[in-house]
Amino acid sequence: MDLERVFCEVDDFCQAFEPQWNQQLLHSDERKRRKTSNLSLSEVMTIIIAFHRSNYRTFKPYYTGYVAKYWRGAFPMRVGYPRFVELMGAALIPLCSDLHTRKGQVSGIGFIDSTPIIVCHRQRAPTHQRFKKKAHWGKHSMGGCYGFKLHLIINDEGELLAFHVTPGNIDDRHPVPHLTEGLSGKLFGDKGYISTHLFQVLFEKGLQLITPIRKNMHNRLLPLFDKLLLRRRSLIETINDPLKNISQIEHSRHRSIAHFMANLVAGLIAYTHQPLKPSLNLTNQQLILLDKPM
């Protein structure tokens, strides 16, 4: 990851975001102690984002052993690790806002999928207190797990269009209407998104939901191009796997829900900074076929 390029883009965002954010903060008459930080907001965000492309599995060795040793010149006013952990939670809202500014372009082709985010081993779930009443048991193709679900929509170039986090027991179809706000064209999903009601809701918004059929369903005619795109739905799965195994958005060492979300959102931002993303490499002539009838 090009650290200088990431910092410049994050700093440009913070210069426009911080003044508006400070104006909208609610003020109270209570006197509260606010520690000043030697690190700027853009520096904090850059360090968090860069972690997800550093090949480190845990944040503490990354910060104390890599940032403090090799990035002294880039961050001369760095703080201690306990203080930086406090700053991570405070950077959640700016991270979420930055991610929304880095969404891809709507091309008329979208792929949707969900992946479980496990917060602890299943044997520790009954006594787990960190995410009590927030995380829930859920089922997926590999069995049951305790945690959350990450819902993603990408375009044909692998760019992120929308994301949503729900408890693990929420049906995959439930957040789709909210996720697809502002999208149009065709949306490809797996069998978990089969729903006549959902199809009608999306169709009224100008979005066609295309899924495989189950064995007990009647066959339906699809244009050849749609069938080919449906077979390439695995494109989004090639994104979920690196997010969890390289960017480390899934682990069991979170201190709070704020740190959990900051880690997850920063991992998605790091993905958007990735120069080469999984893509279908469709030509303009192939994209024109989307508007042609059967």
Side-chain angles (χ1 to χ4, degrees):
M1 175 179 285
D2 188 347
L3 181 65
E4 184 177 353
R5 180 179 63 85
V6 173
F7 173 76
C8 290
E9 294 184 10
V10 172
D11 190 57
D12 291 341
F13 162 78
C14 289
Q15 289 183 10
F17 173 78
E18 278 193 279
Q20 299 181 10
W21 187 32
N22 292 330
Q23 290 178 359
Q24 296 180 3
L25 291 176
L26 297 178
H27 299 279
S28 63
D29 296 334
E30 297 180 5
R31 296 185 61 182
K32 295 183 179 180
R33 182 184 178 188
R34 295 187 62 182
K35 298 180 181 178
T36 59
S37 174
N38 293 330
L39 284 175
S40 64
L41 177 60
S42 55
E43 291 176 318
V44 173
M45 293 173 60
T46 301
I47 293 175
I48 300 174
I49 295 170
F51 162 70
H52 294 278
R53 308 303 301 176
S54 65
N55 295 325
Y56 276 80
R57 295 190 62 85
T58 55
F59 191 84
K60 185 174 183 179
Y62 158 76
Y63 185 79
T64 59
Y66 187 80
V67 175
K69 184 176 182 180
Y70 298 103
W71 286 352
R72 290 182 178 180
F75 305 102
M77 302 298 292
R78 65 189 179 279
V79 297
Y81 175 72
R83 174 57 177 156
F84 191 86
V85 171
E86 298 177 5
L87 299 176
M88 287 180 64
L92 174 58
I93 294 179
L95 285 169
C96 291
S97 300
D98 185 26
L99 179 59
H100 281 286
T101 65
R102 301 191 59 81
K103 291 182 179 179
Q105 184 177 3
V106 178
S107 62
I109 300 177
F111 298 93
I112 185 171
D113 195 20
S114 67
T115 183
I117 304 296
I118 302 173
V119 297
C120 70
H121 193 274
R122 58 186 306 165
Q123 293 182 350
R124 292 174 47 223
T127 59
H128 188 74
Q129 299 294 323
R130 188 73 64 189
F131 297 104
K132 188 177 181 180
K133 297 183 180 180
K134 297 181 179 65
H136 291 277
W137 282 98
K139 294 182 179 180
H140 56 93
S141 59
M142 302 300 293
C145 65
Y146 182 77
F148 300 89
K149 278 186 181 180
L150 173 63
H151 306 263
L152 295 178
I153 298 181
I154 63 170
N155 60 13
D156 60 290
E157 296 182 355
E159 296 175 331
L160 186 65
L161 298 180
F163 82 99
H164 194 70
V165 180
T166 64
N169 61 343
I170 298 298
D171 192 294
D172 289 348
R173 296 166 290 188
H174 180 73
V176 175
H178 171 71
L179 270 174
T180 54
E181 290 292 337
L183 302 184
S184 61
K186 298 182 179 181
L187 182 66
F188 298 87
D190 58 18
K191 295 180 181 180
Y193 295 95
I194 296 177
S195 171
T196 303
H197 174 71
L198 180 60
F199 177 86
Q200 294 176 349
V201 170
L202 297 183
F203 190 78
E204 292 175 357
K205 297 166 56 177
L207 187 63
Q208 182 183 1
L209 178 63
I210 301 176
T211 62
I213 60 174
R214 296 193 179 100
K215 294 181 180 180
N216 59 349
M217 295 174 60
H218 294 290
N219 196 4
R220 63 174 184 265
L221 295 177
L222 285 177
L224 178 60
F225 190 58
D226 290 353
K227 290 183 179 180
L228 295 176
L229 287 177
L230 191 58
R231 293 179 180 178
R232 298 300 303 274
R233 195 195 60 81
S234 58
L235 177 73
I236 193 171
E237 296 177 358
T238 64
I239 296 175
N240 288 331
D241 183 69
L243 283 175
K244 298 169 73 172
N245 296 315
I246 297 179
S247 293
Q248 304 299 325
I249 66 170
E250 179 186 65
H251 63 77
S252 58
R253 301 173 299 276
H254 298 293
R255 294 171 178 258
S256 65
I257 188 69
H259 287 88
F260 164 75
M261 287 300 302
N263 178 75
L264 190 149
V265 173
L268 296 177
I269 296 176
Y271 170 76
T272 64
H273 283 282
Q274 185 176 326
L276 297 177
K277 301 179 179 64
S279 174
L280 297 182
N281 298 318
L282 298 178
T283 63
N284 292 331
Q285 294 180 349
Q286 291 173 323
L287 291 175
I288 293 176
L289 294 175
L290 288 173
D291 301 325
K292 290 185 177 183
M294 299 177 44

Coordinates of all heavy atoms in Angstrom, one line a residue, residues 5 13 17 31 53 90 98 137 164 194 215 249 264 273:
R5 N 0.1 8.2 -0.7 CA -1.1 8.4 -1.4 C -2.3 8.2 -0.5 O -3.3 9.0 -0.6 CB -1.2 7.4 -2.6 CG -2.4 7.6 -3.4 CD -2.4 6.6 -4.6 NE -2.5 5.2 -4.1 CZ -3.6 4.6 -3.8 NH1 -4.8 5.2 -3.9 NH2 -3.6 3.3 -3.4
F13 N -9.9 14.4 2.7 CA -11.3 14.2 3.2 C -11.5 14.8 4.6 O -12.5 15.5 4.8 CB -11.5 12.7 3.3 CG -12.7 12.3 4.2 CD1 -14.0 12.4 3.8 CD2 -12.4 11.9 5.5 CE1 -15.0 12.1 4.6 CE2 -13.5 11.5 6.4 CZ -14.8 11.7 5.9
F17 N -14.2 17.4 6.1 CA -15.2 16.8 7.0 C -15.1 17.3 8.4 O -16.2 17.6 9.0 CB -14.9 15.2 7.0 CG -15.7 14.5 8.1 CD1 -17.0 14.2 7.8 CD2 -15.2 14.2 9.3 CE1 -17.8 13.5 8.8 CE2 -15.9 13.5 10.2 CZ -17.2 13.2 10.0
R31 N -19.1 20.0 32.3 CA -17.7 20.1 32.0 C -17.1 18.7 31.8 O -17.2 17.9 32.7 CB -17.0 20.8 33.1 CG -17.4 22.3 33.3 CD -16.6 23.0 34.3 NE -15.2 23.0 34.0 CZ -14.2 23.5 34.7 NH1 -14.5 24.0 35.9 NH2 -13.0 23.5 34.3
R53 N -3.6 -3.8 5.3 CA -2.7 -4.2 4.1 C -1.3 -4.5 4.6 O -0.4 -4.5 3.7 CB -2.7 -3.2 3.0 CG -4.1 -2.7 2.6 CD -5.0 -3.8 2.1 NE -4.4 -4.5 1.0 CZ -5.0 -5.6 0.5 NH1 -6.1 -6.1 0.9 NH2 -4.4 -6.2 -0.6
A90 N -12.8 6.8 18.7 CA -13.2 8.2 18.3 C -13.2 8.4 16.8 O -13.8 9.3 16.3 CB -12.4 9.2 19.0
D98 N -15.8 8.5 5.4 CA -14.9 8.4 4.4 C -15.2 7.2 3.5 O -15.1 7.3 2.2 CB -13.5 8.2 5.0 CG -12.4 8.1 3.9 OD1 -12.5 8.7 2.9 OD2 -11.3 7.5 4.2
W137 N -26.7 -15.7 17.3 CA -26.4 -17.0 16.6 C -27.0 -16.9 15.2 O -28.1 -16.4 15.0 CB -27.0 -18.2 17.3 CG -26.2 -18.6 18.5 CD1 -26.4 -18.3 19.8 CD2 -25.0 -19.4 18.5 NE1 -25.5 -18.9 20.6 CE2 -24.6 -19.6 19.8 CE3 -24.2 -20.0 17.5 CZ2 -23.4 -20.3 20.2 CZ3 -23.1 -20.7 17.8 CH2 -22.7 -20.9 19.1
H164 N -23.6 -3.2 4.8 CA -24.5 -3.1 6.0 C -24.1 -4.2 7.0 O -23.7 -5.3 6.5 CB -25.9 -3.3 5.6 CG -26.9 -2.9 6.6 ND1 -27.1 -1.6 7.0 CD2 -27.8 -3.7 7.4 CE1 -28.1 -1.6 7.9 NE2 -28.5 -2.8 8.2
I194 N -33.9 -15.5 -2.8 CA -35.1 -15.8 -3.5 C -36.3 -15.3 -2.7 O -36.5 -15.7 -1.5 CB -35.2 -17.3 -3.8 CG1 -34.1 -17.8 -4.7 CG2 -36.6 -17.7 -4.4 CD1 -34.1 -19.2 -5.0
K215 N -34.6 -26.6 -6.6 CA -35.0 -27.8 -7.3 C -36.5 -27.9 -7.4 O -37.0 -28.5 -8.3 CB -34.5 -29.0 -6.6 CG -32.9 -29.1 -6.6 CD -32.5 -30.4 -5.9 CE -30.9 -30.5 -6.0 NZ -30.4 -31.7 -5.3
I249 N -10.7 -8.3 9.2 CA -11.9 -7.7 9.7 C -12.6 -8.6 10.7 O -13.5 -8.2 11.4 CB -12.8 -7.3 8.6 CG1 -13.4 -8.5 7.9 CG2 -12.1 -6.3 7.6 CD1 -14.5 -8.2 6.9
L264 N -13.7 -3.0 11.2 CA -14.4 -3.5 10.0 C -14.4 -2.4 8.9 O -14.1 -2.7 7.7 CB -15.8 -3.9 10.4 CG -16.6 -4.7 9.3 CD1 -17.5 -5.7 10.0 CD2 -17.4 -3.8 8.4
H273 N -8.8 1.2 -1.5 CA -7.5 1.8 -1.9 C -6.7 0.7 -2.7 O -5.7 1.1 -3.3 CB -6.7 2.2 -0.7 CG -7.2 3.5 -0.1 ND1 -6.8 4.7 -0.7 CD2 -7.9 3.8 1.0 CE1 -7.4 5.7 0.1 NE2 -8.0 5.1 1.1

